């Protein structure tokens, strides 16, 4: 995909937003007055933030050229940003056609960060975006009761009304929320990890039984839950970049938000799916140079009343 100079600069801005801490602000095409020259200096990407008590300024330059960036460009940016002119703490360069060897050596000596497309000249590619959609399956429930008051239990989970503060929710909704909380604590989810079974503990659960309205009981619950997963995927545009300093590939999500990302996959008329995780890995993951993986859960109450209009929760 050929990008205009402005689109190329905006891709650097979006990369910076996703790569840096959330408290950093990213601005595009800023004009600042140089302290030494007192002339207006244009900055493609201006990033400001705080680390501890220190104010941090990072400046980015986007070079959407048809040739590699040379060492003379590096030296020019040193004079612009790392002298008394702009006084940046850090400089990032994003070059569409990479860098010459002298430029790489010079930049690394000074501490300038070098970014380029993973495939030179192709900063944006269509790659598979995989969404694992999870449904509650069978449950094995163990209950213990330590209170001296009389306690009643039911065999059918549908007979329970779980009381959480002012809320009265179904047993399945309670399990759904516990699994959702557990999954959200996993920072780096992988399609190579098996999420088909969960062991949950929920202590001192307050509940009512539908056949005994108005009577409240409590118990400690241990639940083993099996999950059914369907893996949907669609090819969407994404930034696929490479950071030369760390030799790491960098992914830029261009779907605006996680909710938009979810919608663009699941609502696509051309999406495809696998009911088997291993098959999805074999046919999609291993056959593409890059992919993304996200997960969501289907609300069990909504699925029971409106199976054709499910409600998804990203995890």
């Amino acid at each position: 995909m050929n990008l205009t100079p402005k689109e190329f600069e905006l891709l650097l801005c979006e990369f910076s937003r996703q790569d840096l801490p959330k408290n950093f602000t990213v601005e595009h095409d800023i004009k600042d007055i140089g302290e030494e020259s007192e002339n207006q200096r244009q900055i493609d990407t201006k990033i400001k933030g705080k680390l501890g008590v220190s104010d941090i300024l990072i400046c980015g330059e986007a070079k959407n050229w048809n040739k590699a960036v040379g060492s003379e460009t590096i030296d020019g940016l040193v004079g612009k940003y790392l002298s008394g002119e702009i006084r940046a703490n850090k400089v990032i360069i994003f070059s569409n056609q990479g860098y010459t060897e002298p430029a790489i050596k010079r930049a690394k000596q000074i501490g300038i960060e070098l970014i380029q497309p993973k495939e030179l000249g192709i900063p944006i590619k269509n790659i598979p975006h995989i969404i694992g959609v999870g449904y509650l399956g069978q449950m094995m429930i163990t209950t213990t009761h330590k209170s001296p008051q009389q306690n009643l239990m039911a065999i059918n989970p549908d007979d329970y009304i779980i009381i959480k503060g002012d809320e009265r929710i179904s047993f399945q909704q309670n399990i759904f929320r516990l699994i959702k909380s557990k999954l959200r604590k996993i920072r780096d989810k992988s399609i190579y990890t098996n999420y088909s079974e969960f062991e949950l503990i929920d202590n001192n659960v307050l509940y009512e039984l539908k056949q005994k309205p108005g009577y409240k009981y409590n118990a400690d619950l241990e639940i083993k839950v099996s999950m059914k997963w369907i893996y949907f995927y669609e090819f969407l545009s994404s930034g696929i970049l490479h950071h030369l300093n760390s030799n790491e590939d960098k992914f830029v999500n261009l779907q605006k938000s996680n909710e938009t990302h979810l919608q663009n996959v699941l609502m696509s008329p051309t999406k495809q799916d696998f009911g088997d995780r291993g098959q999805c890995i074999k046919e999609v993951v291993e056959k593409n140079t890059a992919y993304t993986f996200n997960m969501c859960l289907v609300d069990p109450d909504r699925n029971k009343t409106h199976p054709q209009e499910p409600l998804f929760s990203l995890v």
Side-chain angles (χ1 to χ4, degrees), residues 196-220:
S196 61
E197 291 187 355
F198 288 89
E199 294 187 3
L200 307 171
I201 296 175
D202 198 11
N203 291 323
N204 198 27
V205 178
L206 186 65
Y207 65 91
E208 290 183 5
L209 297 175
K210 291 181 181 178
Q211 60 267 37
K212 295 282 288 185
Y215 290 86
K216 292 179 173 58
Y217 310 94
N218 74 293
D220 296 336

Side-chain angles (χ1 to χ4, degrees), residues 104-282:
I104 294 172
K105 182 178 180 180
R106 175 75 171 133
K108 287 184 176 180
Q109 287 174 341
I110 305 166
I112 291 177
E113 305 299 325
L114 302 178
I115 305 290
Q116 66 186 33
K118 184 175 182 180
E119 294 183 34
L120 294 182
I122 311 175
I124 293 179
K125 295 186 66 176
N126 283 337
I127 65 169
H129 288 241
I130 305 167
I131 303 287
V133 179
Y135 297 80
L136 293 184
Q138 291 185 330
M139 289 181 273
M140 182 180 295
I141 306 163
T142 302
T143 64
T144 56
H145 172 63
K146 300 175 183 177
S147 172
Q149 75 177 62
Q150 182 184 12
N151 202 46
L152 290 179
M153 308 298 298
I155 297 176
N156 186 352
D158 289 339
D159 291 335
Y160 287 85
I161 300 171
I162 306 297
I163 302 171
K164 295 284 186 179
D166 294 332
E167 282 191 292
R168 297 166 59 85
I169 61 176
S170 68
F171 191 92
Q172 289 86 350
Q173 182 67 214
N174 189 45
I175 300 303
F176 165 76
R177 294 183 185 185
L178 291 172
I179 293 176
K180 182 167 64 173
S181 175
K182 196 164 189 174
L183 281 171
R184 285 180 173 172
K185 291 176 182 177
I186 302 173
R187 184 172 181 179
D188 297 315
K189 301 177 188 65
S190 169
I191 194 170
Y192 288 95
T193 302
N194 184 3
Y195 299 103
S196 61
E197 291 187 355
F198 288 89
E199 294 187 3
L200 307 171
I201 296 175
D202 198 11
N203 291 323
N204 198 27
V205 178
L206 186 65
Y207 65 91
E208 290 183 5
L209 297 175
K210 291 181 181 178
Q211 60 267 37
K212 295 282 288 185
Y215 290 86
K216 292 179 173 58
Y217 310 94
N218 74 293
D220 296 336
L221 304 179
E222 295 182 12
I223 312 108
K224 292 184 178 180
V225 187
S226 64
M227 297 290 298
K228 177 185 177 182
W229 292 95
I230 301 176
Y231 300 89
F232 295 90
Y233 74 96
E234 182 58 282
F235 284 82
L236 303 173
S237 59
S238 307
I240 309 296
L241 311 181
H242 184 72
H243 181 220
L244 275 71
N245 305 65
S246 63
N247 198 31
E248 292 179 343
D249 292 336
K250 297 290 185 177
F251 166 77
V252 185
N253 185 358
L254 302 178
Q255 305 307 309
K256 296 184 179 180
S257 69
N258 288 332
E259 290 72 20
T260 303
H261 184 197
L262 183 71
Q263 183 178 14
N264 288 345
V265 175
L266 298 183
M267 299 301 290
S268 170
T270 58
K271 68 180 181 296
Q272 299 186 56
D273 65 86
F274 291 96
D276 180 76
R277 181 171 57 90
Q279 195 69 15
C280 184
I281 292 172
K282 180 179 178 181

